Amino acid sequence: MRLSERIIEKMLVICAAIALLGIAVIAVFITKEGWPIISKIGIKAFFLGKDWTPTKGVYGIFPMIIGSIYVTIGALAIGVPIGISCAIYLAEIASPKVSAIIKPGIELLAGIPSVIYGLYGMTVIVPIIRDLFGNQGFSVLAGSIVLGIMILPTIINISKDSIEAVPKEYKEGSLALGSSHWQAIIKVILPSARSGIISSIILGMARAVGETMAVIMITGNSTMIPESILSPVRTLTGNIGIEMGYASGEHQKALFATGIVLFIFIMCLNLLAKLIPKKAGA
Amino acid sequence: MGSVKIRVKDTNLYYGNHHALKNINMDIYDKSVTALIGPSGCGKSTFLRCLNRMNDLIPNVRIDGEIQIAGNDINKYDVILLRKKVGMVFQKPNPFPMSIYENIAYGPRIHGTKNRSKLDNIVEKSLREAALWDEVKDRLKSNAMGLSGGQQQRLCIARTIAVEPEILLMDEPTSALDPASTMKIEDLMENLKKQYTVIIVTHNMQQAGRISDYAAFFLNGEIIEYDKTEKIFYKPMDKRTEDYITGRFG
């Protein structure tokens, strides 16, 4: 092999290694910073403790775990039906002209900074909820709606690609048996695209769990376990984002510990996405 | 000679500006096998797909003329009923990625059969008719993608039969199969024509000679000659037919 090629190859390897190194450094760093406080408080007290009062040195993140789960479920409840429907529409029904209008819109949706989503939630969604339900507006519901919109591009794009990857012979086979287009979609095309659609949902979930700024701006951030979808809520990401600015000492370490939990959440979701079989019908 | 099942009158088809089928007139007879032969790109498959209106799926296709099935204009049929009546088997076996049982039950289900024992009967009957039952009866629940190519194609035939069509369209059904599987399907066609009107597109002259009762020779979107198979093969009227059959071109 020529020397220049060998050098290029080595450089590419180094670049790939840097990406890997990045994740390793982050993992080591937050573990090193956060773990001592978890072991001091006790795993059970930290994870299942319902009280988060840094001023008294009480660190229980159970409300935030529940908060993240609630808001994520809410976001999926809103984003998954809309996202998959939109993917079906784009892949199967829309004319090329209509697609050409919708696709850039979706790409734009993916590119909007999350703080803008937060602003929109704060000034539009929150007041609507306040007027409708007479609560303070900042709530699980508000967070779910905004996150539901934020995860749409992930779900739409990945689902659409997997629907389009279904061999057209399946569709023809179904139509030739006298099925309607809709029956072909529901009974043959979607089941064949199942693995890609599930992956899209998991990746959307990871995005919802990890979102910080927009969530802080619209969920109210109370450290109580929410009683209903109209109650304010604080997520794991919100917990770190709000308090890191002024926290010090043990309090700061407890926030790193929150980061560990978040890290584990995201890793599990990514692992899950990897485990989904890629092939249709497998 | 049986009664006329399909009557094609003055049919033209255009893909955009391309005149793909030119003035097709053809009577296709009930309970017989009609072979469509001719070189690649001559319009045989396009013609076949007119009969169950699969060309409707392609944008920019324009068809004029009239095609009647049992005396009724196919454009006046509900397309779903038409395709139930006119089944189609494709060149590449295309079983759905689900179990063997579900593949067969798919058609009857979408047409409203829900009763489990009825479905069981249809599945067994269809698989028997397609000469596949003995090979798969112990693994109806396993995925159809695990079958061999020849088995998959017979499964597709069984799937088509399961909705009780009157006409079977076959678009080069054996071109992706090995000789042994091809022979099984040819044997099968002997039986199928007792119940169905079979129209088959094939590139294999021996196959057309072996299995068909009538044969139509297509060239550049026209029917050059259409007659009983033995006539087409042994006493062709047109020089071009003779050249093609004897392998001088195509």
Side-chain angles (χ1 to χ4, degrees), chain A residues 96-118:
Chain A
K97 256 189 204 160
V98 176
S99 289
I101 298 170
I102 297 179
K103 270 186 213 154
I106 293 165
E107 276 153 28
L108 209 61
L109 207 58
I112 295 174
S114 65
V115 67
I116 304 294
Y117 279 101

Side-chain angles (χ1 to χ4, degrees), chain B residues 106-118:
Chain B
Y106 181 82
R109 279 212 178 105
I110 59 176
H111 294 295
T113 308
K114 295 205 171 70
N115 182 303
R116 185 77 196 188
S117 65
K118 234 186 211 166

Side-chain angles (χ1 to χ4, degrees), chain A residues 74-140:
Chain A
L76 292 180
I78 292 164
V80 168
I82 298 176
I84 294 178
S85 308
C86 184
I88 294 171
Y89 176 73
L90 285 175
E92 278 294 321
I93 296 163
S95 67
K97 256 189 204 160
V98 176
S99 289
I101 298 170
I102 297 179
K103 270 186 213 154
I106 293 165
E107 276 153 28
L108 209 61
L109 207 58
I112 295 174
S114 65
V115 67
I116 304 294
Y117 279 101
L119 273 179
Y120 164 74
M122 234 164 99
T123 53
V124 179
I125 309 270
V126 167
I128 290 175
I129 293 175
R130 190 184 298 139
D131 291 347
L132 277 179
F133 299 102
N135 64 347
Q136 50 166 315
F138 295 96
S139 56
V140 176

